[in-house]
Amino acid sequence: MTILLLAIMVVFGLAAILTIIRIVRGPSILDRAVASDVLLTEVMCVLGAEMAINGHTRNIPVLLIIAAVGVFGSISVARFVARRDNTTP
């Protein structure tokens, strides 16, 4: 079980590092928005895995808040990009 947990931590850590690199490097705001959604999803997966491993449900409110932030962030970025595209000739 310890080897499996170590493998899971390595995979999630590597995915988070690659996602942060995509957020920093860009090249567009949409790439950054998608990468931030992926990072939020990774955080949710880690919290869900921790709940499953330890057998509790204390992190469910945190998961709901993270999901709401992700949805509202994606909507606001999409509206910003759509508005910006409509104003440029």
Side-chain angles (χ1 to χ4, degrees), residues 10-39:
V10 167
V11 168
F12 276 126
L14 183 63
I17 289 170
L18 292 173
T19 304
I20 290 171
I21 290 171
R22 176 51 59 194
I23 290 172
V24 171
R25 292 184 67 193
S28 70
I29 192 167
L30 293 177
D31 290 330
R32 289 183 172 104
V34 169
S36 65
D37 284 343
V38 169
L39 188 61

Side-chain angles (χ1 to χ4, degrees), residues 59-74:
N59 291 338
I60 289 179
V62 176
L63 290 174
L64 291 173
I65 291 170
I66 291 172
V69 166
V71 168
F72 294 137
S74 296

Side-chain angles (χ1 to χ4, degrees), residues 70-84:
V71 168
F72 294 137
S74 296
I75 291 170
S76 63
V77 167
R79 289 184 62 138
F80 172 75
V81 170
R83 185 174 296 146
R84 188 177 69 179

